[in-house]
Amino acid sequence: APWHLMMSLTPSRGCLLDLPWEDILVPHILCHLPLQQLLSLQRVSKSFQSLIQLYLANMRCFDSSQIGPAIPRAAFVNLLKDNEVLQQLALQNCSDWLTDRELLPVIGQNHHLHQIQLKGCAQLSRHALVAISLSCPNLRRLSLAHCEWVDSLSLRSLADHCKALEAVDLTACRQLKDEAICYLVQKCSRLKSLSLAVNANVGDVAVEEIAKCCPELEHLDLTGCLRVKNDSIRVLAEYCPKLRSLKVKHCHNVAESSLSILRSRGVELDVEPPLQRALVLLQDVVGFAPFINLQI
């Protein structure tokens, strides 16, 4: 409805555009329209084009997925060239073309960013993470999942400058080893959520340091971390009273003997207890759930 209203109220009618732009139109009307429609609105007239440019310059959140399956490189550069007040930046649909050349200017002029999503942006380099660490001191949430260019030096820079981090996704950042993870959690003790999934280099040393340095930890993803064993899971249970979920699927060296401690506290686990797994398997084989007297 707002979209049709705006399309019908052209400048010649003297209604919509007569409203105060910065006080009314930008914060109370345009913010309710999808970004893709706002970009189309620029073609209505030069006045509308100026209005949308003002909106883009004052936009607090930018999510590339709102524009469609793929955003052209030139469009991205043009959309954010005047913005210096971004707080949230999500670029998960830009992996085909996004490089340091496009990202670094946006990061460099936006010092209020507290949430950045770069999942799968494989063409960036370690310089992107260094730029984020130097420009975004208030960063709270960062996703670098499947960014294999993340190395220990760039992660150290992040840890040194972004100590207010609460959530970090390092899924499949395969260059990272225990030492780099230990440095991160020693500097960023406020972490509540951390993913180290699909990293065969991560082991007990990192998990134990996470436990001892991050008492506020609520979510930890260790999926596929083959070097993680029971001992570090026990340390996790001892030092992280606020833990709510733990993922250890495909961690073949983690057994129920350590998980049962967390399970008894109500921590959500992505692996079932042995008895439940056995019942499911038996049900699949015989076609019904057998009666088992647990008191025997």
Side-chain angles (χ1 to χ4, degrees):
W3 167 249
H4 294 298
L5 173 65
M6 295 185 72
M7 291 299 290
S8 64
L9 293 175
T10 60
S12 61
R13 296 193 178 187
C15 295
L16 182 68
L17 293 176
D18 288 343
L19 293 171
W21 287 16
E22 295 190 36
D23 295 331
I24 302 297
L25 292 183
V26 169
H28 298 293
I29 296 181
L30 297 186
C31 64
H32 296 293
L33 295 177
L35 185 56
Q36 193 168 19
Q37 291 187 350
L38 289 173
L39 299 181
S40 299
L41 192 60
Q42 292 185 100
R43 298 195 291 268
V44 173
S45 69
K46 289 185 177 180
S47 295
F48 270 116
Q49 183 179 18
S50 298
L51 173 61
I52 301 306
Q53 288 299 319
L54 176 66
Y55 172 81
L56 294 173
N58 288 276
M59 189 166 47
R60 298 295 196 274
C61 305
F62 179 82
D63 186 344
S64 60
S65 65
Q66 292 183 3
I67 300 179
I71 172 175
R73 182 197 314 254
F76 169 77
V77 173
N78 184 60
L79 286 174
L80 297 180
K81 62 182 174 61
D82 298 322
N83 193 305
E84 298 180 358
V85 294
L86 274 180
Q87 296 179 1
Q88 299 179 31
L89 178 64
L91 300 176
Q92 59 269 36
N93 287 347
C94 306
S95 57
D96 290 341
W97 55 265
L98 184 68
T99 67
D100 293 354
R101 182 176 180 179
E102 293 78 35
L103 181 63
L104 264 56
V106 176
I107 297 298
Q109 67 192 32
N110 283 281
H111 305 294
H112 304 289
L113 280 163
H114 59 75
Q115 184 170 327
I116 300 177
Q117 162 68 267
L118 296 175
K119 180 180 180 180
C121 293
Q123 297 191 52
L124 298 174
S125 78
R126 59 184 302 272
H127 300 295
L129 187 52
V130 172
I132 289 171
S133 66
L134 296 177
S135 297
C136 309
N138 300 314
L139 195 63
R140 298 288 189 276
R141 306 180 66 86
L142 175 64
S143 175
L144 299 169
H146 302 281
C147 293
E148 297 198 22
W149 45 266
V150 177
D151 60 10
S152 59
L153 287 176
S154 57
L155 194 70
R156 278 177 170 263
S157 179
L158 180 74
D160 285 336
H161 297 93
C162 300
K163 298 179 181 179
L165 279 167
E166 295 179 357
V168 180
D169 189 345
L170 298 172
T171 298
C173 293
R174 303 174 198 272
Q175 289 195 59
L176 301 177
K177 299 181 180 179
D178 283 350
E179 183 183 3
I181 303 303
C182 289
Y183 192 88
L184 173 69
V185 298
Q186 288 165 4
K187 298 285 186 175
C188 302
S189 59
R190 300 183 194 176
L191 280 175
K192 296 181 179 180
S193 176
L194 178 63
S195 175
L196 302 173
V198 200
N199 191 334
N201 293 318
V202 171
D204 285 343
V205 172
V207 176
E208 290 183 15
E209 197 67 17
I210 292 167
K212 293 174 181 177
C213 294
C214 302
E216 302 297 316
L217 191 68
E218 297 178 2
H219 307 283
L220 180 61
D221 190 346
L222 300 173
T223 304
C225 294
L226 304 178
R227 295 175 57 230
V228 174
K229 302 181 180 68
N230 284 324
D231 289 345
S232 61
I233 301 301
R234 293 191 182 97
V235 174
L236 197 66
E238 179 181 355
Y239 284 88
C240 296
K242 297 184 179 181
L243 193 66
R244 293 167 51 192
S245 71
L246 173 66
K247 295 183 178 181
V248 288
K249 189 173 287 185
H250 308 303
C251 296
H252 305 304
N253 294 314
V254 174
E256 184 63 23
S257 58
S258 60
L259 294 177
S260 60
I261 307 168
L262 294 168
R263 205 184 296 278
S264 66
R265 282 178 17 199
V267 175
E268 180 183 343
L269 302 172
D270 64 341
V271 292
E272 298 171 342
L275 176 61
Q276 187 173 348
R277 285 204 301 269
L279 288 174
V280 170
L281 288 172
L282 192 56
Q283 183 176 356
D284 289 341
V285 172
V286 301
F288 66 91
F291 172 77
I292 295 181
N293 187 348
L294 298 179
Q295 295 180 345
I296 295 177

